[in-house]
Amino acid sequence: MTTEMKLSPRERLLEAAATLTYRDGVSIGVEALCKAAGVSKRSMYQLFDSKDELLAASLNERTSAYAATLLPATDDGRSPRERILHVFEQVESQAGAPEFRGCRYLAVQVELKDQSHPASRVAHQVKANLTAFFRVEAEQGGAGDPDLLARQLILVFDGASARAGIQADNLTGLVAPTVTTLLDAAGVR
């Protein structure tokens, strides 16, 4: 016998914030968030100091799952080149879903513009972690300039994610050859 666990008001708010901001953007109102979560405004403000804090907590709660779906396992036995390509294969796969709206962390940074905003700080850290992953793999793969390659890869990642998120382009057959060209030019094995 399975019992469905009832989500707490905090969990419902975090889920509503994740769903609505990904679909509609960070300008979503407090009333809409509370209505979607089935929580009063008073309860929301008892649980979170502000809507900004709710957005940051919602983003932060999803960072582990985001990394798990994107990055290869630490000791998977693949070459650095294959590990980098894996990330882009994941983006291409995700971009094929009808509900794909791009990278939620990039969207938050673009929408908010304010780098000191709590949600923007979470998003910035997630993107910095991905860039660091690219840098480590580039260095281990023998790249001549791992820092430059990591910056190029995050540029391709963000650009591909954004273009697919607004349905401006289909990533199939586009991203892997682009990344392969960068890896070849950098001498990554």
Side-chain angles (χ1 to χ4, degrees), residues 33-167:
L33 287 168
C34 290
K35 182 178 179 182
V39 174
S40 70
K41 278 198 221 178
R42 181 173 180 231
S43 293
M44 187 200 98
Y45 286 115
Q46 288 174 336
L47 294 165
F48 298 96
D49 291 338
S50 64
K51 175 186 152 191
D52 294 351
E53 291 299 327
L54 168 58
L55 294 176
S58 177
L59 285 172
N60 195 46
E61 186 173 274
R62 278 150 183 78
T63 58
S64 293
Y66 176 77
T69 61
L70 203 57
L71 303 179
T74 305
D75 53 359
D76 69 354
R78 289 189 267 184
S79 71
R81 179 186 192 91
E82 293 167 328
R83 291 172 57 74
I84 290 169
L85 284 167
H86 171 85
V87 172
F88 291 94
E89 289 164 4
Q90 298 300 15
V91 171
E92 185 178 314
S93 173
Q94 293 169 12
E99 66 277 1
F100 185 76
R101 299 286 180 267
C103 173
R104 75 174 60 243
Y105 298 99
L106 175 63
V108 163
Q109 290 180 298
V110 169
E111 282 187 71
L112 289 175
K113 314 267 187 282
D114 177 5
Q115 293 186 19
S116 67
H117 188 287
S120 189
R121 287 196 310 266
V122 171
H124 176 78
Q125 186 59 57
V126 168
K127 301 308 282 186
N129 291 347
L130 182 55
T131 305
F133 166 82
F134 287 144
R135 191 205 177 288
V136 166
E137 295 301 326
E139 186 173 36
Q140 291 176 352
D145 188 343
D147 291 323
L148 176 61
L149 181 57
R151 290 175 52 220
Q152 291 169 325
L153 292 170
I154 200 71
L155 181 70
V156 171
F157 180 93
D158 285 346
S161 179
R163 297 222 11 111
I166 61 169
Q167 287 90 39

